[in-house]
Amino acid sequence: AQSVTQPDIHITVSEGASLELRCNYSYGATPYLFWYVQSPGQGLQLLLKYFSGDTLVQGIKGFEAEFKRSQSSFNLRKPSVHWSDAAEYFCAVVPRGGSTLGRLYFGRGTQLTVWP
Amino acid sequence: ETGVTQSPTHLIKTRGQQVTLRCSSQSGHNTVSWYQQALGQGPQFIFQYYREEENGRGNFPPRFSGLQFPNYSSELNVNALELDDSALYLCASSLERGSSGANVLTFGAGSRLTVL
């Protein structure tokens, strides 16, 4: 079955520590890949996206993500976390193919807590 | 450039009632999508509107319906509310099919619906 998996429901890191949030997908063809962040009371903000090309993608707020075809993964990373990064992070895909254009399929999210 | 705005931000209804949620899309965007985000879950695609017509629907019953207006704003209507309809409803806008931005969605902050 087609799916987006975020295996970590909750992650806690100390401020200044590095961060990696995992995302795996199960689709026949590599979908378009996205990471969104949601702060309390806020909508979803796009951090970065991967459509093709360079497998290391730079996003906003110092985040980056690496696409690994062999592992069907698109993990989000940040070298040094700030307290303001505490939020919920969602991995999402748009399957390739005209009928699903513009339709995002989300993982269940990873809640990030940052300790001072 | 204005973003996506949604109203109301919060509302409480009782079972069996009907609700209408509203969304103004980002300037220049003509495609609107609606998502339901239950507590602790990732958003789920409800449907998408393009040129005032429904352009795809997720796994939601017909009591979920929508409209898109000539100015690209949109409404989500839910009839015969059930307790499980309690969720955050997110509206997202994007550029039209065929454009490079068709898969890049801009989200509003959402309307939180509580059904008692």
Side-chain angles (χ1 to χ4, degrees):
Chain A
Q2 297 179 329
S3 64
V4 181
T5 303
Q6 294 181 248
D8 304 306
I9 296 175
H10 195 179
I11 283 183
T12 300
V13 300
S14 298
E15 191 169 19
S18 63
L19 172 70
E20 182 170 31
L21 303 182
R22 297 182 290 165
C23 174
N24 293 93
Y25 59 88
S26 176
Y27 285 82
T30 300
Y32 301 109
L33 299 162
F34 304 82
W35 275 98
Y36 281 85
V37 62
Q38 186 176 37
S39 299
Q42 303 291 317
L44 294 162
Q45 182 181 23
L46 179 65
L47 286 175
L48 45 77
K49 63 186 184 294
Y50 175 77
F51 286 4
S52 64
D54 192 349
T55 57
L56 187 61
V57 180
Q58 301 299 316
I60 63 171
K61 302 185 179 187
F63 285 92
E64 66 179 25
E66 185 172 14
F67 165 61
K68 292 185 178 180
R69 184 186 304 275
S70 61
Q71 299 177 17
S72 298
S73 69
F74 188 56
N75 294 348
L76 182 71
R77 302 194 296 241
K78 187 169 185 178
S80 178
V81 171
H82 188 263
W83 64 265
S84 60
D85 293 325
E88 185 136 30
Y89 291 80
F90 291 95
C91 180
V93 308
V94 172
R96 304 221 181 219
S99 65
T100 57
L101 193 65
R103 297 188 210 177
L104 284 163
Y105 293 85
F106 288 85
R108 65 172 298 166
T110 297
Q111 181 68 46
L112 175 65
T113 297
V114 181
W115 283 358
Chain B
E1 169 180 281
T2 57
V4 176
T5 58
Q6 294 186 242
S7 63
T9 54
H10 296 82
L11 70 168
I12 300 173
K13 294 285 187 178
T14 57
R15 279 184 302 173
Q17 285 189 312
Q18 178 265 344
V19 68
T20 297
L21 308 178
R22 296 178 175 83
C23 171
S24 294
S25 59
Q26 179 168 310
S27 176
H29 287 183
N30 57 16
T31 301
V32 175
S33 303
W34 286 90
Y35 289 78
Q36 180 195 65
Q37 185 179 15
L39 197 63
Q41 302 295 320
Q44 289 197 327
F45 174 74
I46 302 175
F47 43 53
Q48 182 184 83
Y49 276 81
Y50 173 63
R51 293 186 175 179
E52 302 176 49
E53 292 192 357
E54 187 178 293
N55 184 43
R57 168 181 282 265
N59 189 26
F60 282 82
R63 60 189 185 84
F64 285 78
S65 63
L67 287 171
Q68 185 183 31
F69 301 100
N71 66 353
Y72 308 130
S73 66
S74 177
E75 287 182 356
L76 165 65
N77 299 289
V78 187
N79 295 321
L81 284 167
E82 301 177 359
L83 297 180
D84 285 349
D85 296 333
S86 295
L88 181 67
Y89 288 86
L90 295 163
C91 173
S93 69
S94 58
L95 294 170
E96 66 183 76
R97 298 170 70 87
S99 71
S100 60
N103 287 314
V104 182
L105 276 61
T106 300
F107 283 84
S111 294
R112 183 163 298 281
L113 171 65
T114 301
V115 182
L116 302 177

